[in-house]
Amino acid sequence: MTTLSQQVSNRPIPNPKKSLITRLNMGTGLIVGIAFALATYYSMQTTLDDATLNFQRNNQVLLATMFMWSIGFLVGIGAFIGPFRWLIGKDLTAEEQLYLAGDGQGIKRYFKYCTDHKVVGIQYLWGVIAMLAVGGSMAMMIRTQLAQPGAKFITPSIYNSLVGLHGITMIVAMIIVATGPFGNFIMPIMIGAADMAFPRLNALSWWVLFTAIPVLCSAWFLGGIPTGWTAYAPLSVQAGPGMNAFIATIIIFAVSTAVAGANITATVISMRAKGMTWNRVPIFVIGATISVALAVPAFPTFMVAMIQTAMDRTFLTGFFDSNVGGSGWLYAHLFWIMGHPEVYVILLPGVAILMEIVPVFVRKPLFSYTAAVVGFAGIAGLSVLVWAHHMYMSGWLPMLNGPFMVTTEMISIPTGLIFLVILGTLWNGKPWLKVPMLGVYAFLWNMLIGGITGLYLSDVPADNYLHGSMYVTAHFHYTLMGAALTGAVAGLSYWYPKMTGRMLNERAGYISFWFVQIGFQILYLGMFIAGAEGQPRRVSDYAQMYANSNRISTFGAYLIGTGFIVLLWAVIHSWRNGVIAPMNPWGAKTLEWTVPYPVPLVNFDTPPVVTSDPYGYGKAVK
Amino acid sequence: MSDHNDVHLEPTPGERFSKFLKRGDIRETLAWAAFYTAVFVVLGAYFYPKWMPTVMSTDMKAIERLMVVFTFISAPVCGFVMSIFTQTLRHRHKGDTPPPDGPMIRNNRLGVAVFSGVASLLTLTAVIYGLIELNSSAEAATKDAPNALVVEVTGNQWVWSFNYPSLGVESNMLNLPIDRPVIFRITSADVNHSFWPVQLGVKADANHLATTLAQTTPTKLGTIDVKCAELCGLYHAYMETSGEVMTVSDFNNWVTAQGGHSA
Ligand SMILES: [Cu+2]
Ligand SMILES: [Cu+2]
């Protein structure tokens, strides 16, 4: 990136020559994308009499339309100009690269194919907020339906779609909730880099993801999905047209995560500041990198499983449909080989954010950096060996239940190290309970409950009872929402000053925190009880005996909803009206707090040199 | 120690340990840890038996015991976490300026080693306990298999049906005689379901064109709720039926009334 920083210091007078790249933006993307989609849809439309052929043809048309929309959008926004120009031997000029970085384009650059990592970070932030808002609204509708037995708020068909779409929306949002906004905006500054290793790939990962959002929404208008986000075959193979939207979303999203994962990993490996040896890298960077590195092998298996499901639906290939010789177990394996690592892909960055926060707010060094790294690496390493704990009851190979139980429970050991690092840092400290720090305490409690209930679930005999019940739902919400999302929200209030130049409204932060966390305990306490009492998960209705626990849960859910509305208000309101933030409001020692707001295009005027890890807080003890 | 010219003696590990235990912060931590451990032990012992349905089979009994024992195993961990949680909150820093510097403790090898050791031991206990339970239920299954009653369970969007091949009975109710081992042979006519007779503590997926086995012995008279625990499409929520664990004579009467022959 030295070339880019030289250009900025020399600041060539931008040539306002109206070349193609200055004309492209999200609008042209939408136009070309929709044009590609319509052209595909109408050119492929045919009428068939045979119902089976019709089913296949319909799936072919819809899938092709969705992929062409995505490709068309990327063409229209100019994603392929760089590679194309390189192919024809006329690589982008320095001036054009500077233009792509959004130099001097104000708010417009957020709607362009912009390579500046800070712009991509903000794009991800709003993308995540939008997805969480949609997924959260779906959760509110689910809980409203479940407020009482026999409710007729929504039909079973809509209910099932809500369950599946809530699931996939939240999973996608949670995978990028920390690595998207903070991994892009903050992380390169944290390691003293001028940008990501591959700025154009960075823009690509966001805009590819963006094209998945309308595709996922279209599932709703194509009749929804009946399968839940697990999309088990053969139900998925027989499902209606909405299933195509689900499949296309996963495939597009997998491309985005692969690109983003490779980019973040490469950046951390190759672009760290001078002197930032591996034992001086901020722990958030370590956590985020291990997370995306884990996603790189995990997600393609899901993508493959979805391509196979699509082929079963379009060409009757019979990978997963037992009617034509396939195996639903094969699907379950592919799904969970992604599915279990994926929960750690979600969890690790959230935890790593909290580890970044604790030392700052107790003014003590991070306790045992080595234990933190070993904990993260141990979790990631073990997480690829445990997938079949989701299949204890599937009948696939009961003989292997024992071994999978052992590997799963082993994860408690590195998870224990994660706890130890946070507790050791807190130990004998005087915590400063600002909004980010509250998240640390919420995490400790929520992860404790999530971890212990996970221990029951990992045990084969106990899982005989708990599998497929509301208990499971409560358990994974404790880990994914109670731990990972809490970490991400803490990260938002922590880094908000650096990303927006203003402080996040503190009072609203506190109010939101208490509403969300208290509502959370109420919601999932009720759900643990319902599960222990024997209520299956993903049911649109239930017996009278579960009425009390479900009513409690719905009440808790509304508290959470209220809390997040307050947070959303605060994020929007403080963006324009918040108190102007000083350069380093928390007195932290990581590099991102050494740059002013707005962060310069290449982040640092002079590349920083690192001489120690960023945790040198506290008084020396004998 | 009266003579200052004496060679300075390192305190023995025992002395250091007792000195360590006399530290105020350590005592406070231990007290809170003991308190929270006790709380979790009581909660585990009290709530799982309270929430979980009537124990009606050997397996359900093992499951409930396991939930309680696992809570006990994890109680010390909860105690330790919640102790530091509480203790640091009690010493929180108030005000709008950052707190004063804390002690610069970057690591404590002994502490990390002890913590990891204890965590590993507790995990190992849970693993071994789970494996023993798994093994004993498998052994019981092998031993009981010869005189077990076979019930063929079929999941069909969105009903359960039960076939008793040795008795010539087909039914939508899952009725079973008490104290006789039962083997469920489970399959599906369409998509994946999961057979869940709640009070029996049994669960097994029903897959199309494959048969899954599950086995238990009903030990208590009463109603069984049968549910589907795998999302299987539109009316998944309503895919339930019930049944009863009956005395042997009641069961034989029921079989006869269904037009079957007694075994
Ligand atoms: Cu898992
Ligand atoms: Cu079912």
Side-chain angles (χ1 to χ4, degrees), chain B residues 1 3-11:
Chain B
M1 289 286 165
D3 191 346
H4 287 272
N5 293 330
D6 263 0
V7 182
H8 179 69
L9 286 177
E10 281 283 316

Side-chain angles (χ1 to χ4, degrees), chain A residues 160 322-323 363 368 393-394 409 416 427-428 431-432 434 441 452 456 459 464-465 467 471 541 546 613 618-619, chain B residues 25 29 48 53 71 78 85 88 93 95-96 101-102 104 106 115 123 127 130 203 205 207-208 227 233 238:
Chain A
N160 287 349
S322 44
N323 289 305
R363 313 310 292 179
S368 192
M393 273 82 232
S394 71
E409 291 180 2
W427 169 250
N428 269 350
W432 188 28
K434 288 293 182 185
Y441 283 92
I452 289 167
Y456 306 129
D459 185 86
N464 257 313
Y465 184 76
H467 178 85
Y471 199 93
D541 200 356
Y546 310 117
D613 79 7
K619 301 188 289 272
Chain B
D25 52 349
T29 308
Y48 281 116
T71 316
C78 301
F85 182 107
T88 50
H93 169 78
D96 264 339
D101 278 351
M104 195 183 230
R106 280 182 173 272
F115 180 90
T123 308
V127 169
K203 192 174 286 135
D205 284 5
N207 305 297
H208 185 42
K227 301 183 191 246
Y238 300 99

Side-chain angles (χ1 to χ4, degrees), chain A residues 91-112:
Chain A
D91 218 342
L92 292 181
T93 63
E95 198 183 302
E96 283 167 325
Q97 288 192 30
L98 198 57
Y99 182 86
L100 273 187
D103 188 35
Q105 290 160 42
I107 199 159
K108 279 188 185 162
R109 64 205 160 125
Y110 294 102
F111 302 94
K112 288 185 175 174

Side-chain angles (χ1 to χ4, degrees), chain B residues 155-158 160 191-194 228-233 236 239:
Chain B
N156 196 337
Q157 283 173 322
W158 292 274
W160 290 110
V191 300
N192 293 359
H193 303 276
S194 194
C228 175
E230 183 61 62
L231 181 54
C232 54
H236 164 59
M239 185 164 167

Side-chain angles (χ1 to χ4, degrees), chain A residues 517-541:
Chain A
Q517 294 298 338
I518 291 173
F520 182 83
Q521 310 305 327
I522 295 175
L523 197 178
Y524 294 105
L525 176 69
M527 202 178 274
F528 275 130
I529 298 176
E533 287 172 336
Q535 184 187 343
R537 59 190 283 213
R538 297 165 153 176
V539 289
S540 58
D541 200 356

Side-chain angles (χ1 to χ4, degrees), chain A residues 42-381:
Chain A
Y42 286 106
S43 64
M44 286 181 77
Q45 274 289 33
T46 40
T47 33
L48 298 170
D49 291 332
D50 186 320
T52 316
L53 283 179
N54 237 335
F55 176 76
Q56 292 175 27
R57 185 66 185 165
N58 198 17
N59 293 335
Q60 290 165 9
V61 173
L62 286 173
L63 280 169
T65 305
M66 287 164 188
F67 290 128
M68 289 311 282
W69 139 259
S70 179
I71 293 168
F73 180 90
L74 294 171
V75 168
I77 200 169
F80 303 124
I81 286 188
F84 178 74
R85 289 277 298 274
W86 176 80
L87 266 182
I88 59 170
K90 283 189 192 169
D91 218 342
L92 292 181
T93 63
E95 198 183 302
E96 283 167 325
Q97 288 192 30
L98 198 57
Y99 182 86
L100 273 187
D103 188 35
Q105 290 160 42
I107 199 159
K108 279 188 185 162
R109 64 205 160 125
Y110 294 102
F111 302 94
K112 288 185 175 174
Y113 193 79
C114 180
T115 57
D116 182 353
H117 70 96
K118 299 175 286 292
V119 173
V120 176
I122 298 293
Q123 287 167 332
Y124 263 108
L125 178 65
W126 283 102
V128 164
I129 289 176
M131 277 186 247
L132 291 175
V134 171
S137 311
M138 289 173 170
M140 293 300 136
M141 287 162 78
I142 291 173
R143 280 317 319 173
T144 304
Q145 165 75 3
L146 293 181
Q148 52 187 2
K152 295 279 183 292
F153 175 63
I154 41 179
T155 65
S157 158
I158 293 181
Y159 181 86
N160 287 349
S161 286
L162 278 176
V163 165
L165 293 174
H166 162 77
I168 192 62
T169 309
M170 288 309 204
I171 290 289
V172 168
M174 288 303 298
I175 286 173
I176 57 177
V177 72
T179 44
F182 314 128
N184 279 300
F185 195 116
I186 302 292
M187 196 201 69
I189 316 179
M190 254 180 159
I191 60 170
D195 201 328
M196 300 286 273
F198 305 105
R200 292 207 300 253
L201 282 187
N202 200 23
L204 185 70
S205 75
W206 156 252
W207 286 111
V208 168
L209 174 73
F210 175 82
T211 65
I213 296 174
V215 173
L216 183 56
C217 293
S218 73
W220 189 254
F221 302 98
L222 291 169
I225 55 167
T227 58
W229 89 279
T230 45
Y232 267 19
L235 193 57
S236 64
V237 177
Q238 300 157 7
M243 206 66 218
N244 298 305
F246 181 89
I247 292 169
T249 303
I250 300 301
I251 294 173
I252 296 172
F253 180 62
V255 172
S256 167
T257 32
V259 171
N263 199 0
I264 291 180
T265 314
T267 306
V268 173
I269 290 175
S270 63
M271 311 247 322
R272 299 192 312 280
K274 198 164 179 228
M276 188 176 278
T277 50
W278 281 111
N279 54 354
R280 292 175 184 167
V281 178
I283 199 69
F284 169 64
V285 178
I286 299 278
T289 309
I290 292 181
S291 156
V292 295
L294 186 57
V296 167
F299 249 82
T301 67
F302 196 13
M303 179 166 161
V304 166
M306 280 298 126
I307 292 173
Q308 288 173 308
T309 307
M311 290 179 75
D312 275 7
R313 292 167 56 85
T314 50
F315 303 114
L316 218 67
T317 43
F319 286 109
F320 304 137
D321 190 352
S322 44
N323 289 305
V324 282
S327 163
W329 286 327
L330 174 61
Y331 175 81
H333 280 294
L334 290 172
F335 179 82
W336 289 116
I337 286 171
M338 172 284 302
H340 195 89
E342 167 267 331
V343 300
Y344 292 108
V345 170
I346 292 175
L347 186 66
L348 295 189
V351 179
I353 289 174
L354 296 171
M355 284 186 181
E356 205 64 66
I357 289 174
V358 190
V360 179
F361 290 84
V362 294
R363 313 310 292 179
K364 284 183 65 204
L366 187 72
F367 179 76
S368 192
Y369 183 90
T370 319
V373 176
V374 171
F376 284 148
I379 287 176

Side-chain angles (χ1 to χ4, degrees), chain A residues 336 339-341 343-344 383 386-390 408 475:
Chain A
W336 289 116
H340 195 89
V343 300
Y344 292 108
S383 76
V386 301
W387 76 91
H389 62 211
H390 297 271
T408 304
H475 154 74

